[in-house]
mmCIF file with all atom_site columns, all heavy atoms in Angstrom:
data_model
loop_
_atom_site.group_PDB
_atom_site.id
_atom_site.type_symbol
_atom_site.label_atom_id
_atom_site.label_alt_id
_atom_site.label_comp_id
_atom_site.label_asym_id
_atom_site.label_entity_id
_atom_site.label_seq_id
_atom_site.pdbx_PDB_ins_code
_atom_site.Cartn_x
_atom_site.Cartn_y
_atom_site.Cartn_z
_atom_site.occupancy
_atom_site.B_iso_or_equiv
_atom_site.pdbx_formal_charge
_atom_site.auth_seq_id
_atom_site.auth_comp_id
_atom_site.auth_asym_id
_atom_site.auth_atom_id
_atom_site.pdbx_PDB_model_num
ATOM 1  N N   . ASP A 1 83 ? 5.546  22.446 -3.699 1.00 95.00 ? 83 ASP A N   1
ATOM 2  C CA  . ASP A 1 83 ? 4.510  21.492 -3.341 1.00 95.00 ? 83 ASP A CA  1
ATOM 3  C C   . ASP A 1 83 ? 4.277  21.430 -1.840 1.00 95.00 ? 83 ASP A C   1
ATOM 4  O O   . ASP A 1 83 ? 3.168  21.273 -1.391 1.00 95.00 ? 83 ASP A O   1
ATOM 5  C CB  . ASP A 1 83 ? 4.931  20.095 -3.870 1.00 95.00 ? 83 ASP A CB  1
ATOM 6  C CG  . ASP A 1 83 ? 4.733  19.919 -5.326 1.00 95.00 ? 83 ASP A CG  1
ATOM 7  O OD1 . ASP A 1 83 ? 3.981  20.749 -5.945 1.00 95.00 ? 83 ASP A OD1 1
ATOM 8  O OD2 . ASP A 1 83 ? 5.343  18.989 -5.899 1.00 95.00 ? 83 ASP A OD2 1
ATOM 9  N N   . ILE A 1 84 ? 5.366  21.533 -1.073 1.00 96.00 ? 84 ILE A N   1
ATOM 10 C CA  . ILE A 1 84 ? 5.228  21.521 0.388  1.00 96.00 ? 84 ILE A CA  1
ATOM 11 C C   . ILE A 1 84 ? 4.427  22.733 0.889  1.00 96.00 ? 84 ILE A C   1
ATOM 12 O O   . ILE A 1 84 ? 3.550  22.585 1.716  1.00 96.00 ? 84 ILE A O   1
ATOM 13 C CB  . ILE A 1 84 ? 6.654  21.436 1.052  1.00 96.00 ? 84 ILE A CB  1
ATOM 14 C CG1 . ILE A 1 84 ? 7.261  20.070 0.757  1.00 96.00 ? 84 ILE A CG1 1
ATOM 15 C CG2 . ILE A 1 84 ? 6.518  21.654 2.546  1.00 96.00 ? 84 ILE A CG2 1
ATOM 16 C CD1 . ILE A 1 84 ? 8.692  19.947 1.225  1.00 96.00 ? 84 ILE A CD1 1
ATOM 17 N N   . VAL A 1 85 ? 4.761  23.913 0.337  1.00 97.00 ? 85 VAL A N   1
ATOM 18 C CA  . VAL A 1 85 ? 4.059  25.123 0.723  1.00 97.00 ? 85 VAL A CA  1
ATOM 19 C C   . VAL A 1 85 ? 2.576  24.997 0.367  1.00 97.00 ? 85 VAL A C   1
ATOM 20 O O   . VAL A 1 85 ? 1.696  25.353 1.186  1.00 97.00 ? 85 VAL A O   1
ATOM 21 C CB  . VAL A 1 85 ? 4.674  26.351 0.040  1.00 97.00 ? 85 VAL A CB  1
ATOM 22 C CG1 . VAL A 1 85 ? 3.807  27.607 0.256  1.00 97.00 ? 85 VAL A CG1 1
ATOM 23 C CG2 . VAL A 1 85 ? 6.120  26.616 0.588  1.00 97.00 ? 85 VAL A CG2 1
ATOM 24 N N   . ARG A 1 86 ? 2.271  24.494 -0.802 1.00 96.00 ? 86 ARG A N   1
ATOM 25 C CA  . ARG A 1 86 ? 0.892  24.284 -1.219 1.00 96.00 ? 86 ARG A CA  1
ATOM 26 C C   . ARG A 1 86 ? 0.205  23.338 -0.287 1.00 96.00 ? 86 ARG A C   1
ATOM 27 O O   . ARG A 1 86 ? -0.976 23.596 0.116  1.00 96.00 ? 86 ARG A O   1
ATOM 28 C CB  . ARG A 1 86 ? 0.830  23.733 -2.665 1.00 96.00 ? 86 ARG A CB  1
ATOM 29 C CG  . ARG A 1 86 ? -0.559 23.324 -3.136 1.00 96.00 ? 86 ARG A CG  1
ATOM 30 C CD  . ARG A 1 86 ? -0.489 22.686 -4.495 1.00 96.00 ? 86 ARG A CD  1
ATOM 31 N NE  . ARG A 1 86 ? 0.478  21.543 -4.521 1.00 96.00 ? 86 ARG A NE  1
ATOM 32 C CZ  . ARG A 1 86 ? 0.155  20.320 -4.057 1.00 96.00 ? 86 ARG A CZ  1
ATOM 33 N NH1 . ARG A 1 86 ? -1.026 20.101 -3.471 1.00 96.00 ? 86 ARG A NH1 1
ATOM 34 N NH2 . ARG A 1 86 ? 1.052  19.314 -4.118 1.00 96.00 ? 86 ARG A NH2 1
ATOM 35 N N   . THR A 1 87 ? 0.857  22.272 0.078  1.00 96.00 ? 87 THR A N   1
ATOM 36 C CA  . THR A 1 87 ? 0.220  21.290 1.005  1.00 96.00 ? 87 THR A CA  1
ATOM 37 C C   . THR A 1 87 ? -0.009 21.850 2.377  1.00 96.00 ? 87 THR A C   1
ATOM 38 O O   . THR A 1 87 ? -1.025 21.580 3.031  1.00 96.00 ? 87 THR A O   1
ATOM 39 C CB  . THR A 1 87 ? 1.079  20.045 1.069  1.00 96.00 ? 87 THR A CB  1
ATOM 40 O OG1 . THR A 1 87 ? 1.304  19.536 -0.231 1.00 96.00 ? 87 THR A OG1 1
ATOM 41 C CG2 . THR A 1 87 ? 0.430  18.957 1.902  1.00 96.00 ? 87 THR A CG2 1
ATOM 42 N N   . ILE A 1 88 ? 0.930  22.660 2.871  1.00 97.00 ? 88 ILE A N   1
ATOM 43 C CA  . ILE A 1 88 ? 0.736  23.327 4.174  1.00 97.00 ? 88 ILE A CA  1
ATOM 44 C C   . ILE A 1 88 ? -0.499 24.201 4.152  1.00 97.00 ? 88 ILE A C   1
ATOM 45 O O   . ILE A 1 88 ? -1.267 24.212 5.123  1.00 97.00 ? 88 ILE A O   1
ATOM 46 C CB  . ILE A 1 88 ? 2.007  24.135 4.488  1.00 97.00 ? 88 ILE A CB  1
ATOM 47 C CG1 . ILE A 1 88 ? 3.166  23.233 4.819  1.00 97.00 ? 88 ILE A CG1 1
ATOM 48 C CG2 . ILE A 1 88 ? 1.725  25.069 5.695  1.00 97.00 ? 88 ILE A CG2 1
ATOM 49 C CD1 . ILE A 1 88 ? 4.476  23.924 5.064  1.00 97.00 ? 88 ILE A CD1 1
ATOM 50 N N   . GLU A 1 89 ? -0.745 24.932 3.092  1.00 96.00 ? 89 GLU A N   1
ATOM 51 C CA  . GLU A 1 89 ? -1.901 25.766 2.988  1.00 96.00 ? 89 GLU A CA  1
ATOM 52 C C   . GLU A 1 89 ? -3.188 24.865 3.016  1.00 96.00 ? 89 GLU A C   1
ATOM 53 O O   . GLU A 1 89 ? -4.180 25.205 3.705  1.00 96.00 ? 89 GLU A O   1
ATOM 54 C CB  . GLU A 1 89 ? -1.882 26.615 1.720  1.00 96.00 ? 89 GLU A CB  1
ATOM 55 C CG  . GLU A 1 89 ? -0.771 27.620 1.691  1.00 96.00 ? 89 GLU A CG  1
ATOM 56 C CD  . GLU A 1 89 ? -0.708 28.336 0.334  1.00 96.00 ? 89 GLU A CD  1
ATOM 57 O OE1 . GLU A 1 89 ? -1.409 27.949 -0.558 1.00 96.00 ? 89 GLU A OE1 1
ATOM 58 O OE2 . GLU A 1 89 ? 0.121  29.291 0.269  1.00 96.00 ? 89 GLU A OE2 1
ATOM 59 N N   . CYS A 1 90 ? -3.146 23.756 2.289  1.00 95.00 ? 90 CYS A N   1
ATOM 60 C CA  . CYS A 1 90 ? -4.339 22.869 2.187  1.00 95.00 ? 90 CYS A CA  1
ATOM 61 C C   . CYS A 1 90 ? -4.540 22.175 3.586  1.00 95.00 ? 90 CYS A C   1
ATOM 62 O O   . CYS A 1 90 ? -5.718 21.866 3.930  1.00 95.00 ? 90 CYS A O   1
ATOM 63 C CB  . CYS A 1 90 ? -4.128 21.804 1.176  1.00 95.00 ? 90 CYS A CB  1
ATOM 64 S SG  . CYS A 1 90 ? -4.125 22.412 -0.502 1.00 95.00 ? 90 CYS A SG  1
ATOM 65 N N   . SER A 1 91 ? -3.499 21.951 4.361  1.00 94.00 ? 91 SER A N   1
ATOM 66 C CA  . SER A 1 91 ? -3.610 21.152 5.567  1.00 94.00 ? 91 SER A CA  1
ATOM 67 C C   . SER A 1 91 ? -4.361 21.857 6.660  1.00 94.00 ? 91 SER A C   1
ATOM 68 O O   . SER A 1 91 ? -4.740 21.223 7.652  1.00 94.00 ? 91 SER A O   1
ATOM 69 C CB  . SER A 1 91 ? -2.171 20.844 6.092  1.00 94.00 ? 91 SER A CB  1
ATOM 70 O OG  . SER A 1 91 ? -1.506 21.986 6.567  1.00 94.00 ? 91 SER A OG  1
ATOM 71 N N   . GLN A 1 92 ? -4.649 23.130 6.486  1.00 93.00 ? 92 GLN A N   1
ATOM 72 C CA  . GLN A 1 92 ? -5.444 23.853 7.505  1.00 93.00 ? 92 GLN A CA  1
ATOM 73 C C   . GLN A 1 92 ? -6.835 23.309 7.610  1.00 93.00 ? 92 GLN A C   1
ATOM 74 O O   . GLN A 1 92 ? -7.501 23.377 8.633  1.00 93.00 ? 92 GLN A O   1
ATOM 75 C CB  . GLN A 1 92 ? -5.472 25.329 7.174  1.00 93.00 ? 92 GLN A CB  1
ATOM 76 C CG  . GLN A 1 92 ? -4.075 25.972 7.221  1.00 93.00 ? 92 GLN A CG  1
ATOM 77 C CD  . GLN A 1 92 ? -4.126 27.444 6.785  1.00 93.00 ? 92 GLN A CD  1
ATOM 78 O OE1 . GLN A 1 92 ? -5.110 28.173 7.077  1.00 93.00 ? 92 GLN A OE1 1
ATOM 79 N NE2 . GLN A 1 92 ? -3.113 27.942 6.063  1.00 93.00 ? 92 GLN A NE2 1
ATOM 80 N N   . HIS A 1 93 ? -7.319 22.742 6.491  1.00 93.00 ? 93 HIS A N   1
ATOM 81 C CA  . HIS A 1 93 ? -8.724 22.203 6.449  1.00 93.00 ? 93 HIS A CA  1
ATOM 82 C C   . HIS A 1 93 ? -8.771 20.793 5.894  1.00 93.00 ? 93 HIS A C   1
ATOM 83 O O   . HIS A 1 93 ? -9.832 20.152 5.909  1.00 93.00 ? 93 HIS A O   1
ATOM 84 C CB  . HIS A 1 93 ? -9.651 23.133 5.667  1.00 93.00 ? 93 HIS A CB  1
ATOM 85 C CG  . HIS A 1 93 ? -9.115 23.449 4.273  1.00 93.00 ? 93 HIS A CG  1
ATOM 86 N ND1 . HIS A 1 93 ? -9.238 22.572 3.231  1.00 93.00 ? 93 HIS A ND1 1
ATOM 87 C CD2 . HIS A 1 93 ? -8.396 24.514 3.814  1.00 93.00 ? 93 HIS A CD2 1
ATOM 88 C CE1 . HIS A 1 93 ? -8.720 23.114 2.162  1.00 93.00 ? 93 HIS A CE1 1
ATOM 89 N NE2 . HIS A 1 93 ? -8.156 24.263 2.451  1.00 93.00 ? 93 HIS A NE2 1
#
Side-chain angles (χ1 to χ4, degrees):
D83 284 342
I84 292 174
V85 170
R86 172 186 55 79
T87 304
I88 289 174
E89 294 175 355
C90 293
S91 70
Q92 298 176 35
H93 52 81

